[in-house]
Amino acid sequence: MSFLSRLYESLETAYGTPALALAAAAVVLFIVQLCYWMRCYARIPSYRVDGGQERDTQRPPVSVIVVVQDDFTYLEETLPLILGQQYPEFEVVVVDLASAEEFSDALQALQEQHPHLSATRIEQDTRFPIGRKLALNVGIKAARYERLLITTTAARPTSDRWLALMARGFERGDVVLGYCGMERKPGIVNRLIRCSRVMTSVRALSSAIRGVPYRGSIHNLGFTKTLYFGVKGFNYLNLNSGEDDLFLQTIATPDNTAVILNPKATVRQWQWGGASWWHDLRKFESYTYKYYPLQVKNAVQWELGSRLLFLATVLTALCLLPPEFKLGTLALWLLRLGIVEFESWRIRRRLGEGGLGWCWIVYDLWAPLCEIRLWLSRTLRPSKGLWR
C-alpha cells in the first residue's frame, strides 16, 4: 500500500489530479464495456438450447398463427414458405382481418389446396377497431395444438427448417425466443439497420440466456396455450404493442424459456424504407420500454451510457492530457474496438448475419447518439396510433 501511495503522489505531482481522474474514468468505463461484451453478450455464440441433454425424439404438433389483411404478396410469396416447412405435424392459422372479398377468395383457394391451412375471418366494426392483440387472440383460440408460434406478414422464414428448429425450443420450455433479422439490401443504410437489429436482439437474447427474459420478437415467438390463458391473454389491451415484451414478461421465467440461435431458424423482416422509416419503427416499438423492470432498464442504460462516456473520455483525453496519457487512452479505445469487433463477429456468425464487419465500427460510434435522439423523439413526440 505504501508503494501505491507513493506512486499516486508522484503521478499527482507530475500530472495533476484532473488528469489522473480522467485516466481512471477511462479505465473504469473500459472495464464496464469489457464486462458486457466478454461476459454477457459472449454467451450467445456458445449457447445450446438443450444444454447437452439428450433430446426428446417426439416432435410435438405446432400451430403457426399470423394475422393478414389484404396482403396478396404474403399469400403469393411468404405463406407458401410456411406451408412448405419440413415438419411432421403442424397447422397454419391465418386470421383474416376484414380483407376484401377478392383476398378472402384467394385465401379460401389456398385452404382447399393445403389441408393444414385454416383461416378465421374477423369483420371490422368502424366504431370498435380491431387491433393485432384481439386478432391474435382469435387465432390462438382457433388453434388446435398446445404449442404456438407467432409470426407476421412483415417477415419470412429463411429456410424450410424454421419450424422444426423453433419447435425444438418446446423441448426445453414453454416459451421460445427466436431471432428476427432484417432483409439484406445494398447500401450502407441497410447495413446500419441490420447492425441495429442485431444489437437490439443481442441485448434481449443474452439477457434471456442469463435468466432474465424480457423481450422477444413478434415475428418469431413461441409459447403455449396453457401459459397464454393462464394469464388471461395479452395485457395492456389499450396499447397497440407489447405482445413480445410486456406480455412476455408475464409468462417467461428463467426455467421455462428457451432461446433458438440458428441461421436456419431465423426470419427476416422486410425493410420498407430508409433511415427515417427505421427511426419511426424503433420509436413505436420502444415505447413499451418505460414499463420494463428497473433491472432491465439499468442493464440497457449502463451499456449505452458507458459506451458514450468512454468515447467522450477518450476524446477529452486526446485533447487535454499529456502525450503519454493520450497514447494510453487511445490504446484503450483501440483495444475495446478490437474486442467488440471480434465478439460481434462471433455473435453475427451464430445469427447468420454476414457482411457487417467494417460497418459495425461505424454503427458502434453512431448508436449512442441515435439512442439519445430516439429517447428525445419518443418523449417529445409520441408515435401516432400507440393507444386505442
Side-chain angles (χ1 to χ4, degrees), residues 29 62 107 126 131 171 187 240 320 345 350 355 370:
L29 293 168
V62 177
L107 183 57
T126 55
E171 300 172 13
N240 287 324
L320 301 178
W345 169 77
R350 181 69 189 273
C370 283

Side-chain angles (χ1 to χ4, degrees), residues 3-278:
F3 169 75
L4 293 177
S5 178
R6 289 196 301 271
L7 177 62
Y8 174 79
E9 289 176 358
S10 61
L11 289 173
E12 185 180 26
T13 302
Y15 300 107
T17 302
L20 293 181
L22 194 62
V27 172
V28 170
L29 293 168
F30 172 78
I31 293 173
V32 171
Q33 283 287 293
L34 218 61
C35 289
Y36 273 100
W37 282 98
M38 300 189 71
R39 183 181 177 185
C40 300
Y41 303 156
R43 297 190 184 193
I44 288 180
S46 59
Y47 175 76
R48 290 184 60 189
V49 67
D50 54 13
Q53 300 176 359
E54 186 176 342
R55 287 184 55 191
D56 188 353
T57 56
Q58 295 183 344
R59 307 177 81 181
V62 177
S63 295
V64 180
I65 301 173
V66 59
V67 178
V68 182
Q69 186 176 33
D70 285 323
D71 193 339
F72 283 96
T73 302
Y74 181 79
L75 290 190
E76 296 167 359
E77 298 181 6
T78 306
L79 187 55
L81 297 177
I82 298 178
L83 293 170
Q85 290 293 304
Q86 299 300 307
Y87 197 71
E89 187 175 2
F90 72 99
E91 66 168 349
V92 180
V93 180
V94 174
V95 182
D96 181 5
L97 189 55
S99 299
E101 185 176 346
E102 184 182 358
F103 180 87
S104 298
D105 291 342
L107 183 57
Q108 179 64 32
L110 272 177
Q111 191 174 354
E112 293 173 358
Q113 298 172 19
H114 300 277
H116 56 305
L117 171 63
S118 66
T120 301
R121 181 176 172 83
I122 303 178
E123 297 294 342
Q124 278 279 23
D125 187 334
T126 55
R127 296 171 301 173
F128 306 103
I130 296 175
R132 186 171 61 188
K133 290 178 181 177
L134 180 56
L136 285 173
N137 182 68
V138 171
I140 291 170
K141 288 183 177 179
R144 289 185 292 164
Y145 302 131
E146 165 71 6
R147 294 162 181 84
L148 312 171
L149 275 180
I150 308 297
T151 187
T152 72
T153 57
R156 59 178 177 84
T158 57
S159 80
D160 60 3
R161 293 190 59 212
W162 164 69
L163 179 54
L165 291 167
M166 288 295 292
R168 279 188 57 192
F170 288 113
E171 300 172 13
R172 163 69 172 79
D174 294 329
V175 177
V176 183
L177 307 182
Y179 173 65
C180 174
M182 297 300 299
E183 69 167 318
R184 299 176 182 178
K185 299 176 71 174
I188 188 171
V189 172
N190 174 260
R191 286 182 170 86
L192 290 173
I193 287 175
R194 286 171 57 203
C195 288
S196 177
R197 170 55 60 84
V198 170
M199 195 64 237
T200 303
S201 301
V202 163
R203 293 191 193 102
L205 295 176
S206 64
S207 182
I209 291 172
R210 298 195 313 273
V212 188
Y214 71 88
R215 187 185 185 108
S217 169
I218 191 61
H219 310 290
N220 201 10
L221 174 65
F223 51 84
T224 63
K225 292 180 77 170
T226 300
L227 276 180
Y228 178 79
F229 290 113
V231 297
K232 300 181 181 180
F234 294 116
N235 52 3
Y236 291 88
L237 295 178
N238 58 338
L239 183 64
N240 287 324
S241 62
E243 300 94 321
D244 53 2
D245 48 13
L246 301 182
F247 168 69
L248 180 72
Q249 291 164 23
T250 67
I251 63 172
T253 68
D255 299 323
N256 74 352
T257 303
V259 180
I260 300 298
L261 301 173
N262 189 309
K264 293 184 179 180
T266 294
V267 300
R268 293 209 171 269
Q269 183 180 357
W270 303 110
Q271 180 185 330
W272 300 113
S276 297
W277 169 83
W278 180 246

